[in-house]
Amino acid sequence: MTVVRPRPAPVRPAPRASSSLTRSQRLLGRDWRLAAVFVGPTLLLVAGLILFPIISSILTSATERHGAETVFVGLDNYTALIDDAVFHRGVLNSFVFTAYAEIFKVTFGLIAALMLHHMRRGRALLAGVILLPWVVPTVVTAFTWRSLLDPIFGSVNVLLTDSGIGPTLAAVGLVDKWPAEWLSDPALAMPAVILVNVWKGIPFFTVTFLAGLKAIDSGLYEAAMVDGASPWQRFVHITLPGLRNIMIVTVLLSSIWTFNNFDLIWLMTQGGPGDATAPYVMVAYSKAILQLQLGAGAAVTVVMLPIVAVLVVLLVRMMRRSDQPGAADLGRRRLSPAQRRALPWVVVVGSVLVLVWASPHIVWKAAFVLGVFVVLAAAVGRLVSALAARGNRLAARVVSGTGTGVAMLGLLGFVLAPLYWMTVTAFKSDSQIVARTDDLWPTPWSTEQFTNLFTGRAFGTWYLNTILVSVASTAIALVCAALAGYALARLRFRGSESFTVTILLTYVMPGALLFIPLYQMMSGIGLNDSLWSLVLAYPTFTLPFATWLLVGYFKSIPADLEEAALVDGCTRFGAFIRIVLPLAKPGLLAVALFTLTNAWNEFLFAFVFITKDDYKTLPVGMQSMIFGDVVPQGQLAAASLLISIPVVVMYGFGQRFLTEGLTAGAVKG
């Protein structure tokens, strides 16, 4: 039987909204006038403090200073780098420092995340404790580890000697002699600073991987267990693929930061002994600031721009691909199954060969240390699997729990030991520090170091300067980011997508590209040795991230609420103030916390721009407390404790808002 259905009436197209738009609105977008007001401050700061300085750095690299005059020399500064052994060493040091640090951070960050993920109680508390090394300022990290590794006053050699580990390290060849001179031995200085960078970076990887593990569907694991998959098979075929994108983004972002690191290495070794640890950024600083050859220094940073640009482009593509569900599958379809299986091994083998060539004295030591931990973890996992396969589940749980507990205790000891050392050293008297008595527990506890710190020093002034600069730069970044983030998330105007990508690109651009042209700019307008130079410069690394994060957070707020306010007669700006900002409080607090702590911890710009004691901030002021070989261990420990307390307290109270704000911003941004 055939059913004849009436033919539906043709649907008339809806009238185009553009019919009521003016010519300029059709050309520039419906909301271009309001967008210009909202985006204008951020565009001005990004263009004036980031894009223009990068162009200026490129132009400066083609000049050379001859006495009081600056002359154009074309490509001479670049050709001079071809035979510059110091530059070659700096690039090699940056590569070695980055490669080993990322390998260890990925490995230990993943192990820590897996342990925390499988914990039922206390996970939030332990995650907060593990986050401490990432929270404390870099200057605190550097001086604390410098004190620990000191061959005379430090405790690392003493503890390793008493436990018998130190002589064993010398026996197997991991160190040439014992007791070791960690920061003054050319063979040990680079491994030492890599160790400190790993200590500070593990929390970032742990928290990021932990968030990725929570996002993996638990049903996949249940189905795999029903099919008889072993823990190792579940890890390889479910966990690693589930973490693939977040691992790539995290490694790329961390690699950019690590490759352009200056403050940690400068504060620990100043590039020594000799130039054993000097990265390329330090070479640029030496040429531009110490030797007053701005063109040569700019050439060092510009010639490294392609390497950083490749990492930045990969990072942006991965972050944009994560927002497009089909993009990852499309990338997989371009490779055959055999190519996909071979690609990771090709990357691993190629990286190992480059490391063998670049650092033959380090590669086997790193492989030995990494292999010990991997073998122990694999052995415990294999034992647990064997016991479970035999039906002895109680024994499997006992072995698994014991192994996890021991590993977690070791991780917590590694994380907390330097912070404990800093705290107890701050409460020792000078006689206790020199005589090495009561190393782990001062007897009696003394406030001598705090008294000396505020007597005859400008420490109070440095503290006030840091507060003023941090608060002022945070206020600028927060206001500009809120306006620009709202415009990019809600308003329709031409170029919004391009501006969003530009914001992300400027965020990951390293400070090494900016400090030379910004130094020239501040000198030209007479702001060097002024707190205003820092207030203007700090938004270069806080504003782009704050804007990008708030774009994502504003997108997560339902637009219906704002449209209802507009229907009731509220203006767009009024809806922004009365509706959007109150709902965006977690995102705004996350941005404020991020920008405030970054400004509080910043070292490179303050070190380059400020020379007078009255205008120094805490990180630079603490560095100036060291006179040659005279290191006031107790006063530095007391200063480190005082500079860390505000940051730790802020993160303690704002951790919930930080997590909520970062999560919403990352998902939608």
Side-chain angles (χ1 to χ4, degrees):
M1 180 177 179
T2 304
V3 179
V4 179
R5 296 180 180 177
R7 184 177 182 182
V11 179
R12 295 181 180 180
R16 295 183 179 180
S18 60
S19 60
S20 61
L21 300 180
T22 64
R23 182 179 179 183
S24 61
Q25 287 177 321
R26 288 195 297 270
L27 181 64
L28 301 176
R30 186 190 65 188
D31 304 315
W32 72 271
R33 288 188 177 89
L34 188 61
V37 175
F38 274 66
V39 177
T42 298
L43 180 61
L44 182 64
L45 289 176
V46 168
L49 297 177
I50 301 178
L51 300 180
F52 175 76
I54 291 177
I55 297 173
S56 176
S57 184
I58 296 173
L59 297 177
T60 301
S61 67
T63 65
E64 187 174 289
R65 186 170 180 175
H66 291 170
E69 296 183 356
T70 299
V71 299
F72 178 79
V73 295
L75 299 178
D76 289 357
N77 288 324
Y78 294 96
T79 56
L81 296 178
I82 298 176
D83 298 321
D84 191 337
V86 176
F87 169 71
H88 298 166
R89 179 72 178 186
V91 174
L92 195 64
N93 286 340
S94 293
F95 170 76
V96 170
F97 178 68
T98 302
Y100 286 111
E102 296 309 307
I103 290 172
F104 280 93
K105 283 186 283 191
V106 168
T107 302
F108 292 120
L110 182 57
I111 293 174
L114 289 171
M115 289 191 297
L116 289 174
H117 182 65
H118 290 98
M119 291 183 63
R120 296 182 179 180
R121 297 179 180 177
R123 179 167 59 189
L125 177 62
L126 290 177
V129 172
I130 291 176
L131 194 63
L132 285 176
W134 188 62
V135 170
V136 298
T138 302
V139 64
V140 174
T141 300
F143 287 139
T144 300
W145 276 96
R146 183 170 171 172
S147 174
L148 277 169
L149 297 173
D150 189 282
I152 299 176
F153 300 108
S155 287
V156 169
N157 280 354
V158 174
L159 292 175
L160 292 180
T161 300
D162 293 343
S163 63
I165 297 176
T168 303
L169 295 178
V172 299
L174 289 177
V175 296
D176 296 333
K177 60 180 180 179
W178 193 260
E181 298 176 354
W182 298 102
L183 298 179
S184 58
D185 186 344
L188 291 178
M190 180 61 79
V193 294
I194 290 172
L195 169 69
V196 178
N197 183 266
V198 169
W199 178 81
K200 190 167 183 63
I202 283 178
F204 175 71
F205 280 76
T206 301
V207 173
T208 306
F209 291 165
L210 185 59
L213 289 171
K214 292 179 181 178
I216 298 176
D217 186 4
S218 59
L220 297 175
Y221 291 102
E222 295 173 0
M225 293 176 66
V226 171
D227 292 338
S230 65
W232 173 253
Q233 290 173 324
R234 296 196 297 269
F235 173 75
V236 171
H237 297 290
I238 298 177
T239 303
L240 287 183
L243 292 176
R244 175 180 174 272
N245 285 341
I246 198 168
M247 287 182 71
I248 293 175
V249 170
T250 304
V251 170
L252 287 173
L253 191 58
S254 178
S255 297
I256 294 171
W257 294 338
T258 307
F259 189 76
N260 295 282
N261 187 281
F262 173 85
D263 46 1
L264 179 66
I265 298 177
W266 175 267
L267 291 168
M268 289 194 67
T269 65
Q270 294 192 357
D275 56 1
T277 59
Y280 89 94
V281 183
M282 202 170 294
V283 176
Y285 167 79
S286 176
K287 290 179 180 294
I289 307 301
L290 299 183
Q291 301 174 23
L292 298 180
Q293 291 295 333
L294 296 177
V300 172
T301 61
V302 172
V303 81
M304 299 307 297
L305 183 59
I307 296 177
V308 178
V310 169
L311 296 176
V312 169
V313 170
L314 289 175
L315 175 64
V316 173
R317 290 187 62 182
M318 287 303 304
M319 297 184 78
R320 290 174 66 87
R321 180 179 296 178
S322 64
D323 294 334
Q324 302 172 2
D329 296 333
L330 179 63
R332 291 190 185 124
R333 287 196 293 268
R334 294 175 181 173
L335 299 176
S336 66
Q339 289 173 328
R340 289 201 302 270
R341 288 193 298 268
L343 183 60
W345 293 106
V346 171
V347 173
V348 169
V349 172
S351 302
V352 170
L353 291 177
V354 173
L355 287 175
V356 169
W357 168 78
S359 56
H361 63 292
I362 298 178
V363 65
W364 75 268
K365 299 177 182 179
F368 177 82
V369 173
L370 197 63
V372 168
F373 286 98
V374 172
V375 168
L376 287 175
V380 173
R382 180 62 61 89
L383 179 59
V384 171
S385 298
L387 292 173
R390 295 177 182 177
N392 198 344
R393 298 187 178 276
L394 178 60
R397 285 198 297 268
V398 170
V399 173
S400 177
T402 303
T404 301
V406 171
M408 185 58 68
L409 286 176
L411 177 63
L412 291 176
F414 178 62
V415 166
L416 295 178
L419 302 178
Y420 176 79
W421 169 262
M422 172 193 70
T423 304
V424 297
T425 303
F427 289 96
K428 294 178 183 178
S429 63
D430 285 335
S431 58
Q432 286 177 307
I433 295 174
V434 173
R436 297 298 310 277
T437 57
D438 305 308
D439 255 357
L440 301 180
W441 190 262
T443 305
W445 288 64
S446 170
T447 59
E448 175 184 329
Q449 304 303 335
F450 297 94
T451 303
N452 295 339
L453 187 63
F454 286 95
T455 302
R457 291 192 183 275
F459 186 80
T461 303
W462 302 339
Y463 218 106
L464 181 61
N465 291 341
T466 306
I467 293 174
L468 293 175
V469 171
S470 301
V471 172
S473 59
T474 297
I476 293 174
L478 192 60
V479 172
C480 294
L483 293 172
Y486 175 78
L488 294 173
R490 284 286 194 264
L491 304 182
R492 298 180 182 178
F493 62 97
R494 187 178 296 276
S496 60
E497 288 293 330
S498 300
F499 189 69
T500 303
V501 174
T502 302
I503 286 293
L504 182 59
L505 288 173
T506 54
Y507 166 59
V508 292
M509 281 297 175
L513 288 173
L514 301 177
F515 80 90
I516 294 176
L518 285 177
Y519 173 77
Q520 289 180 288
M521 181 186 299
M522 298 303 172
S523 298
I525 60 179
L527 287 183
N528 270 359
D529 277 323
S530 166
L531 295 182
W532 283 109
S533 64
L534 303 183
V535 173
L536 290 177
Y538 282 2
T540 59
F541 57 85
T542 58
L543 180 58
F545 176 77
T547 303
W548 177 72
L549 180 67
L550 287 179
V551 169
Y553 201 90
F554 287 141
K555 286 181 179 179
S556 70
I557 298 175
D560 296 344
L561 300 174
E562 190 178 350
E563 292 172 359
L566 295 176
V567 171
D568 291 339
C570 190
T571 63
R572 175 73 75 168
F573 187 77
F576 169 68
I577 296 294
R578 296 183 177 90
I579 305 297
V580 177
L581 287 185
L583 294 175
K585 184 175 69 172
L588 294 172
L589 289 175
V591 166
L593 186 59
F594 170 83
T595 54
L596 189 64
T597 52
N598 273 270
W600 186 272
N601 300 340
E602 201 281 326
F603 177 80
L604 178 58
F605 289 163
F607 184 60
V608 173
F609 297 164
I610 305 297
T611 58
K612 295 181 180 178
D613 243 16
D614 292 340
Y615 300 111
K616 288 180 179 178
T617 56
L618 281 170
V620 179
M622 289 173 62
Q623 192 269 341
S624 67
M625 292 169 60
I626 300 176
F627 297 95
D629 295 332
V630 179
V631 181
Q633 302 279 3
Q635 292 184 40
L636 285 175
S640 298
L641 187 61
L642 292 177
I643 192 178
S644 300
I645 288 175
V647 182
V648 173
V649 170
M650 284 189 293
Y651 269 90
F653 282 103
Q655 184 177 7
R656 178 173 62 88
F657 294 106
L658 179 67
T659 303
E660 184 179 346
L662 291 178
T663 301
V667 170
K668 294 291 184 180

